[in-house]
Structure formats: C-alpha cells, structure tokens
C-alpha cells in the first residue's frame, strides 16, 4: 500500500459500514492488513468509493476479498499479533470423553499396522460413547454422545452398521459423513473442518473420527511434507478447540523395523507433533492391545487388551467379527511398549539379529528359547520375527538350524 494513513482510512471506512458485522469484520481486517498486492490496492480503492453509496453491497465485498491473491506484509501483519500474559489466564483441568485417553477440545492420532483392528476397536469406543456406557478402566459411565465418522474405506451397510450393532451402540447416535462434492470429487480436510465448525454444535457431536486422515488430503498435498501436514493439522486443531469435542485421526505405520512406533507413523512427523495424544493398536503374542505412545496432557500408562469375536446380527447370514475389550485384563499401571518403546515383534527381530550376527548356524529351538525369554514374548512371536528378517532355516538330519 502507499502508506499507513491509506490503510487507516480504508479500515475506518470498513468499521463505520460494518458495525453490525463486527465479528466478520475483524476477520476481514486481519486479511487486509497483511496484504499489499496490486489487486488489494485496486479493491480498496473501489471499496472506498462504494461505501458511501446506499446500494453498496458490503456482504458481496467481504466475499470478494477472499478471491484476492495475498502477499505477506510483515510490517503490517505485526499489528495483528496477539500477546497474552499468563497472569491474565486461569488454570484449567483437561475435560475428558474417556479419562486419560480421549480429551475434549484436542486432536488425537491412532496409528497401527493394517489388519490389527484399528477401525473395529474404534467402533467399540464409539458404541460405548453412544449409549453412555463405561469405558475400560473407568469407574463411572460416560455421558452419552453422538459420533461423526468420516471414512474413505468402509461401507455403511456392510461395515459400520453391522459393527456398531455388534458392539451394542445406539444407532441413532452414529452419523457417517459423505465427503464428496456434487461433482464427485473428494472434499479436503480443510473444507470439511470449515463446514463442521457450525454443523458439529448443531448436531450435538461429541467425537469426530477421520479414517484415514491421509485420504482427505488435497490432491497436490504431500503427506511427507511438514508444511502440508501442519496446515491440515491446524484445521483439525481449530475444529477441536472451537467445538470442544475430541477429534481422532486414523493413520498407518510404515515398515521401518527397529524404530519406535511413534517414529513409524506414515508420512510427516508433523502428525505426531500436533496430536496431544497418540494411540496405537498392536498385535502381540496373538493378542490385540490399545494404548498410548505419546501424550502431552496426561501420562502414557494404560494398556487395554481386546479380542475379535464373531456374533450373529439380524438380517445377516454371516456372523460379524467385531472388537470387544477384555476388561479383566486392563492394566492401568503399564505402558504399551514399556521402556523400550518398541513392539515385542520388533524387539524380537533385534534380538534375533544379535543372536545370528556371526553368520554361523544355531539350533532354532535354542534360539527361540533365548529370544523369547529375553524379550518376554512367546515363541510364535519369535518365529514371525524370523520370517520378517528373512532368517534362513536348514535341517541337518537331526535339528533345524537358523542363520542369517
């Protein structure tokens, strides 16, 4: 812009004309102050002339501003920075949907390998919330609430309803969102969050699940890009904070054996950085478990085992396999992966490499016994780990030997 006086003149005109639109005006003012392109100069000039005319359409002008290309203007933008002294704010407890697991007003991430029951156990969690049930490890029932599920992979008729019904959910408290534009194109997370800021309070939603979050990234966005992922996370965090609900994004793990699970989240680590709690679903020793691998607002203790159970559902010929918590096995004093920070399968792989690093042949029975004792897992886990790292087996007529 030509000078700061011009800015003040235009902004004062906006204030006078838009007093009744105060909340929207403040948002527009922020956008105007930080931009100095030629398009902005021309637009403000036209606006200055038009504001004095009775027929001037202020609402249309506000909408048109959004179409103007923007260019950062550091000097002007600094006028809009907000500073808050800690002595002006009050301490506030975290409000929980599920104590120490799902927090109201915060973004969560749940990660796990394919086939470990992530979607199934989320359906059980949703069912408990929908009927006002008691979460595993809790001493009280929760307040009933509605769940909004955004999925790019599963069917309402063949997955969601059968699963939710098998888990004993209140069907009227579960909604699935269609995230397609009329053209058939997929909506992005930013579009979805913008729309839901008003819809969630209207519909009484208490939990919003995106499964998987990466399916709703813009076509030109790179899941490995910190910048792209941070932008999406800002939309999800704003949605959680503004609506006061728990937001849970589902993602997968890569196959980098030996890395801590929290470092194996698919794509940029910005997903992990933004989430206040990161949950993980794992299969170990033939058992399925849910727990935390990161938390900024509570401890990481709490391991919640579950099993996959078959159940007959009305109108279906085949039984439905769903997830059911094993409440008697809940451990509120342990962490999912302990101090090692690695699943037992990954620990077994590391132990096998150490055992077989010489290249010599070792009796498989003895290796399995040593590794299972060292890691604290059963021998089936060791056998699966051996396959993962391509351990070779050779029978010498008396014993089976392993080597690398």
């Amino acid at each position: 812009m030509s000078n700061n006086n011009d800015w003040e003149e235009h902004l004062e005109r906006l204030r006078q004309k838009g007093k009744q639109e105060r909340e929207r005006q403040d948002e527009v003012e922020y956008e105007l102050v930080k931009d100095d392109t030629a398009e902005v100069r021309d637009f403000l000039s036209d606006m200055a002339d038009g504001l004095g005319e009775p027929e001037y359409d202020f609402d249309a002008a506000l909408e048109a501003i959004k179409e103007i290309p923007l260019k950062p203007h550091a000097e002007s933008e600094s006028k809009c920075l907000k500073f808050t002294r800690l002595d002006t704010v009050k301490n506030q407890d975290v409000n929980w949907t599920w104590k120490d697991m799902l927090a109201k007003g915060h973004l969560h991430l749940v990660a796990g390998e394919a086939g470990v029951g992530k979607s199934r156990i989320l359906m059980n969690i949703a069912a408990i919330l929908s009927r006002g049930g008691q979460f595993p490890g809790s001493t009280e029932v929760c307040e009933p609430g509605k769940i909004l599920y955004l999925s790019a992979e599963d069917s309402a008729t063949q997955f969601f309803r059968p699963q939710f019904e098998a888990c004993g959910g209140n069907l009227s408290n579960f909604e699935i969102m269609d995230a397609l534009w009329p053209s058939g194109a997929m909506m992005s997370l930013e579009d979805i969050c913008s729309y839901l800021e008003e819809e969630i309070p209207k519909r009484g939603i208490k939990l919003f699940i995106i499964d998987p979050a990466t399916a709703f990234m813009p076509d030109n966005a790179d899941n490995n890009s910190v910048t792209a992922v941070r932008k999406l996370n800002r939309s999800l965090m704003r949605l959680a904070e503004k609506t006061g609900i728990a937001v849970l994004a589902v993602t997968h793990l890569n196959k980098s054996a030996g890395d801590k699970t929290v470092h194996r989240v698919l794509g940029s680590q910005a997903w992990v950085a933004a989430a206040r709690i990161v949950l993980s679903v794992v299969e170990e020793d033939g058992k399925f478990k849910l727990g935390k691998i990161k938390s900024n607002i509570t401890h990481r203790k709490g391991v919640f085992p579950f099993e996959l159970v078959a159940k007959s559902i009305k109108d279906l010929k085949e039984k439905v396999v769903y997830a059911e918590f094993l409440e008697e096995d809940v451990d509120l004093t342990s962490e999912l992966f302990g101090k090692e920070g690695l699943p037992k399968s990954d620990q077994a792989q590391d132990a096998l490499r150490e055992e077989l690093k010489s290249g010599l042949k070792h009796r498989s029975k003895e290796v399995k016994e040593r590794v299972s004792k060292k890691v604290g897992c059963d021998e089936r886990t060791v056998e699966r780990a051996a396959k993962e790292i391509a351990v070779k087996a050779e029978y010498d007529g008396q014993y089976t030997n392993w080597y690398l």
Side-chain angles (χ1 to χ4, degrees):
M1 306 306 299
S2 56
N3 57 58
N4 286 337
N5 290 333
D6 288 342
W7 275 111
E8 293 301 325
E9 180 181 351
H10 290 305
L11 294 173
E12 183 57 28
R13 288 172 185 266
L14 280 171
R15 293 188 188 98
Q16 294 301 318
K17 189 69 178 179
K19 286 180 180 178
Q20 64 273 48
E21 301 272 354
R22 185 63 191 174
E23 184 175 347
R24 292 172 62 195
Q25 155 64 52
D26 286 345
E27 182 179 345
V28 172
E29 178 181 332
Y30 177 79
E31 294 295 322
L32 289 174
V33 169
K34 74 175 183 179
D35 305 300
D36 63 354
T37 60
E39 289 89 344
V40 172
R41 283 199 300 274
D42 293 339
F43 186 88
L44 286 179
S45 177
D46 293 340
M47 178 177 277
D49 295 335
L51 283 174
E53 302 297 329
E55 68 274 16
Y56 187 77
D57 191 338
F58 184 73
D59 285 338
L62 292 179
E63 289 298 316
I65 288 173
K66 300 176 183 177
E67 303 300 321
I68 300 175
L70 305 179
K71 178 181 176 182
H73 189 276
E75 181 180 352
S76 298
E77 190 175 54
S78 66
K79 297 180 182 179
C80 297
L81 295 177
K82 181 179 179 181
F83 299 86
T84 303
R85 292 202 326 263
L86 283 182
D87 61 352
T88 66
V89 300
K90 294 182 179 180
N91 293 329
Q92 187 177 35
D93 288 319
V94 176
N95 292 317
W96 297 97
T97 297
W98 177 7
K99 184 71 169 68
D100 295 324
M101 294 293 283
L102 292 175
K104 297 177 181 179
H106 290 284
L107 172 63
H108 309 68
L109 196 67
V110 58
E113 295 177 348
V116 296
K118 294 189 297 298
S119 297
R120 284 189 169 99
I121 199 60
L122 288 179
M123 294 300 290
N124 192 301
I125 292 170
I128 293 172
L129 177 60
S130 74
R131 64 175 183 268
Q134 189 171 321
F135 286 110
S138 301
T139 57
E140 300 177 350
V141 297
C142 67
E143 180 184 355
K146 290 185 177 180
I147 298 89
L148 179 62
Y149 209 113
L150 177 63
S151 175
E153 298 178 346
D154 294 307
S155 161
T157 58
Q158 296 180 341
F159 180 79
F160 285 112
R161 170 147 186 171
Q163 285 288 318
F164 202 63
E165 200 168 331
C167 293
N170 181 344
L171 295 175
S172 64
N173 276 347
F174 190 93
E175 296 188 22
I176 304 165
M177 181 180 175
D178 185 357
L180 296 177
W181 293 109
S183 64
M186 185 80 76
M187 296 174 70
S188 72
L189 269 177
E190 291 176 275
D191 296 326
I192 293 166
C193 289
S194 178
Y195 172 77
L196 289 179
E197 283 186 10
E198 293 185 4
E199 280 298 311
I200 280 176
K202 289 179 184 178
R203 309 184 82 85
I205 303 298
K206 300 300 181 185
L207 173 63
F208 177 39
I209 301 173
I210 310 105
D211 184 8
T214 51
F216 300 96
M217 296 183 71
D219 290 339
N220 59 349
D222 181 1
N223 188 38
N224 293 303
S225 165
V226 172
T227 302
V229 172
R230 279 179 177 168
K231 187 176 181 182
L232 294 176
N233 281 333
R234 280 196 296 268
S235 296
L236 291 170
M237 293 166 70
R238 173 185 167 88
L239 177 66
E241 184 176 355
K242 192 165 183 178
T243 60
I245 71 166
V247 174
L248 200 160
V250 180
T251 187
H252 300 291
L253 298 177
N254 61 43
K255 296 185 180 299
S256 300
D259 288 342
K260 289 187 176 182
T261 302
V262 74
H263 298 147
R264 292 176 54 205
V265 171
L266 195 64
S268 169
Q269 279 293 297
W271 286 113
V272 173
R276 298 301 82 190
I277 292 178
V278 179
L279 306 173
S280 185
V281 180
V282 298
E283 180 184 5
E284 291 185 344
D285 298 343
K287 299 177 181 178
F288 300 95
K289 300 175 184 177
L290 171 71
K292 287 167 286 192
I293 55 176
K294 176 210 166 179
S295 176
N296 292 105
I297 54 178
T298 185
H299 52 75
R300 291 194 302 179
K301 294 178 180 178
V303 180
F304 303 89
F306 64 93
E307 62 181 346
L308 301 183
V309 183
K311 185 177 184 178
S312 296
I313 296 296
K314 183 181 178 181
D315 299 329
L316 296 180
K317 296 178 181 178
E318 300 290 335
K319 289 186 176 182
V320 173
V321 177
Y322 72 103
E324 186 174 274
F325 281 110
L326 298 171
E327 298 194 29
E328 66 276 10
D329 295 332
V330 169
D331 183 352
L332 298 179
T333 63
S334 300
E335 295 184 13
L336 186 60
F337 297 138
K339 295 180 180 179
E340 295 294 331
L342 293 172
K344 295 284 182 65
S345 57
D346 286 358
Q347 293 181 49
Q349 290 178 29
D350 290 343
L352 280 171
R353 291 189 184 96
E354 182 66 24
E355 285 277 341
L356 305 176
K357 65 182 181 181
S358 67
L360 300 176
K361 297 173 183 178
H362 300 262
R363 292 181 183 177
S364 61
K365 184 177 185 300
E366 295 175 357
V367 172
K368 284 188 284 186
E369 289 175 351
R370 289 196 297 270
V371 171
S372 63
K373 183 177 180 179
K374 179 179 180 180
V375 174
C377 64
D378 62 22
E379 293 190 4
R380 286 178 299 174
T381 299
V382 180
E383 290 170 353
R384 287 194 295 268
K387 290 181 180 179
E388 287 290 330
I389 64 172
V391 170
K392 297 180 179 65
E394 183 181 277
Y395 184 63
D396 63 8
Q398 189 174 6
Y399 301 105
T400 298
N401 299 299
W402 279 358
Y403 64 99
L404 284 173

